[in-house]
Amino acid sequence: MSTVYELLGGAKAMDAAVDLFYRKVLADERINHFFEDVDMERQAAKQKAFLTMVFGGPNNYTGMDMRKGHAHLVKRGLNDSHFNAVAEHLAGTLKDLGVAAPLIEQVIQTAESVRADVLNR
Amino acid sequence: MSRVRYEAQWYSLEPEESVLDGLLRQGVPVPHSCKAGVCQSCLMRAAAGAVPEKAQAGLKETLKARNYFLACSCWPEPGAELEVAGGGDELRVPARLESLERLSGGVLRVRLRPQAAFEYRAGQYLTLLRADGLARSYSVASLPREGALELHVRLLPGGAMSGWLSTEARPGDEVRIQGPAGDCFYLPGRPEQPLLLAGAGTGLSPLYGIARDALEQGHTGPIWLFHGAREPRGLYLVEELRALAERHGNFHYRPSVLEGRLGEGVHVGSLDALIRDECPKPVGWRAFLCGNPELVLSLRKKLFLAGLSMKDIHADAFLPSASGPGGAGATPRAPDASR
């Protein structure tokens, strides 16, 4: 079975996915304060790596990167509710891109596997 | 402790000290300006030793391959030794000042003619070096076919380069230029795509080049140019831009000031409110944003949220010079004219 990554069109489709996803995240009052002072281009590059990973594309994901990358946000109060909000936007992005519900569910489960790393538990 | 060899002499670096800071601290005059890895004034080439990846961020691949690096962003590993083959001299092109002309109370138009080939795209920036090595980066407002390079220099009280240019420099004086750098320029290929150009102060400089470049390359879609200033006297090239709008039906020029009287074709109020009114749905557009970092970063976010793709937003935030006249160790002072 092909991955969501392949289904969407591979590497060249990731920029459009990041645009949709990042725009939802920045517009969300529950979480956008975590993104206030970040460099947008660098952030987009990280999100591209993250989406590529959860969509089943080629990646070199390590839990350590996720831990280190979010440790300072956990100190600022990052918790499950924020993680859930991001997961919601991930599902919304895939819906916008016309991905079928069972595949979205699969992606969300992959994202779920990084929850502990992101929240440094 | 790491060491750097520069012009046949070894210098030691303190922990956490960049190559640039270490050399300046020990009295070595090295051209530099932004100290933030952007202006590329402190470009050097390594003859031996490992160049950290971070010291090459933003450099062209051709320069990376030849071991060029930015001294301000180069922190060698503890104990490492780095030998510098030379500064960026071999990449610098001699040029002569051709004219110096006030465009407004606070902006000087400097035209200079390279004495050797200097290829660039309208909207990129270059580093201008005075004979003594004083370096500042400026965006280029001219088009390559025009021959002379045009820079818009903001005059700042106490500005080292802008002060020299506005009072002492004369046509015929020799300077050097290095570059160009930056990816804020027009690429043909989608002639119907609407363009949104916005900047404040001398942020107009690259936009003036980009707008004319797009028109000359046959862009058919609308081109909106928003130029913001605090007061009306901060605007410049107003007549030229109005004339350009008269000649090209798809070019729209909107000057805007924060403080001033209504009327006379100048908008009064914030630049982003004006942009929102004139271009309420910029989905699928291409944007070029130039000028002070606060404005550029805030506009980038707003336009992204309004529907522009990240890859279609070209932002060039002008950083102030980080070098006081006293060189390293000088206390922070008014930033000199950057671009």
Side-chain angles (χ1 to χ4, degrees):
Chain A
M1 198 181 87
S2 60
T3 61
V4 170
Y5 178 79
E6 288 161 3
L7 200 71
L8 291 174
K12 60 184 190 304
M14 284 300 108
D15 284 335
V18 169
D19 273 350
L20 284 170
F21 176 63
Y22 193 8
R23 200 171 286 130
K24 288 178 193 291
V25 166
L26 279 183
D28 185 341
E29 297 287 337
R30 293 172 295 176
I31 49 177
N32 59 11
H33 57 279
F34 289 116
F35 297 86
E36 203 75 333
D37 295 315
V38 302
D39 180 298
M40 282 181 74
E41 282 181 26
R42 218 172 291 167
Q43 183 61 28
K46 286 180 190 163
Q47 295 193 356
K48 193 168 168 176
F50 171 69
L51 293 188
T52 302
M53 191 271 287
V54 294
F55 292 175
N59 69 88
N60 42 18
Y61 166 79
T62 72
M64 263 337 272
D65 295 343
M66 278 289 184
R67 283 188 174 265
K68 270 194 213 145
H70 292 89
H72 66 292
L73 298 178
V74 172
K75 281 196 194 117
R76 280 171 54 193
L78 187 76
N79 62 35
D80 282 301
S81 74
H82 306 118
F83 186 92
N84 296 344
V86 171
E88 200 179 290
H89 296 312
L90 181 59
T93 301
L94 288 166
K95 206 171 163 208
D96 291 352
L97 290 168
V99 175
L103 281 172
I104 297 181
E105 187 48 41
Q106 221 180 73
V107 169
I108 295 300
Q109 271 173 27
T110 311
E112 201 53 60
S113 71
V114 307
R115 183 187 289 263
D117 284 330
V118 166
L119 298 177
N120 277 255
R121 287 201 292 245
Chain B
M1 186 183 79
S2 51
R3 298 201 305 161
V4 176
R5 187 178 157 94
Y6 187 84
E7 289 178 347
Q9 204 175 326
W10 284 100
Y11 298 90
S12 55
L13 298 179
E14 305 275 349
E16 315 281 309
E17 191 174 48
S18 70
V19 169
L20 177 65
D21 283 336
L23 290 173
L24 292 174
R25 175 175 55 78
Q26 291 165 87
V28 183
V30 180
H32 62 282
S33 181
C34 78
K35 284 193 174 181
V38 177
C39 78
Q40 304 191 357
S41 302
C42 62
L43 193 68
M44 293 182 175
R45 190 163 62 84
V51 174
E53 195 183 328
K54 202 177 169 188
Q56 294 187 310
L59 292 185
K60 279 187 275 200
E61 292 303 323
T62 50
L63 291 180
K64 285 184 189 173
R66 287 152 69 202
N67 277 335
Y68 278 97
F69 66 96
L70 299 175
C72 72
S73 309
C74 184
W75 290 271
E77 293 290 317
E81 295 190 336
L82 188 66
E83 291 187 43
V84 177
D89 271 345
E90 60 218 53
L91 298 176
R92 291 173 187 147
V93 173
R96 273 184 201 286
L97 298 183
E98 198 167 87
S99 67
L100 302 133
E101 168 202 354
R102 287 283 180 121
L103 288 174
S104 75
V107 179
L108 188 69
R109 172 192 262 162
V110 176
R111 285 207 171 101
L112 41 102
R113 197 164 285 271
Q115 306 294 299
F118 185 79
E119 284 181 28
Y120 70 98
R121 287 171 182 269
Q124 287 191 293
Y125 56 92
L126 55 75
T127 297
L128 176 68
L129 293 106
R130 196 168 67 181
D132 63 356
L134 180 71
R136 293 290 181 271
S137 55
Y138 297 101
S139 290
V140 184
S142 49
L143 304 178
R145 66 156 178 82
E146 291 175 318
L149 294 165
E150 173 175 333
L151 314 176
H152 299 165
V153 177
R154 182 156 73 112
L155 303 176
L156 278 172
M161 184 69 89
S162 67
W164 175 70
L165 287 167
S166 63
T167 57
E168 289 170 58
R170 294 288 173 266
D173 282 358
E174 199 150 306
V175 292
R176 283 170 303 154
I177 52 177
Q178 177 192 311
D183 51 12
C184 215
F185 51 78
Y186 177 78
L187 279 180
R190 297 177 66 187
E192 72 301 326
Q193 184 182 31
L195 305 184
L196 194 164
L197 283 53
T202 48
L204 177 63
S205 173
L207 302 178
Y208 187 59
I210 292 166
R212 293 182 304 137
D213 190 29
L215 288 168
E216 288 198 3
Q217 294 204 48
H219 197 84
T220 53
I223 303 174
W224 289 85
L225 171 60
F226 297 92
H227 184 212
R230 194 183 314 272
E231 305 161 305
R233 63 193 183 96
L235 296 170
Y236 64 93
L237 292 177
V238 175
E239 292 317 313
E240 286 85 345
L241 287 164
R242 282 187 178 143
L244 196 64
E246 298 241 323
R247 288 199 302 276
H248 299 273
N250 61 331
F251 177 68
H252 311 283
Y253 166 56
R254 293 289 182 273
S256 169
V257 293
L258 288 176
E259 303 155 13
R261 270 185 313 198
L262 292 169
E264 292 152 13
V266 175
H267 171 263
V268 180
S270 80
L271 197 60
D272 68 299
L274 174 64
I275 294 172
R276 212 169 40 235
D277 287 349
E278 297 277 26
C279 309
K281 264 191 86 78
V283 178
W285 291 32
R286 196 182 333 173
F288 297 90
L289 311 172
C290 304
N292 72 69
E294 301 81 57
L295 177 81
V296 166
L297 299 183
S298 118
L299 282 180
R300 173 160 73 175
K301 195 173 194 171
K302 286 184 173 128
L303 290 174
F304 175 65
L305 287 172
L308 270 85
S309 290
M310 193 79 90
K311 66 171 171 39
D312 281 332
I313 307 179
H314 305 272
D316 185 2
F318 293 4
L319 298 177
S321 155
S323 51
T331 49
R333 57 192 82 209
D336 193 359
S338 184
R339 278 173 281 141

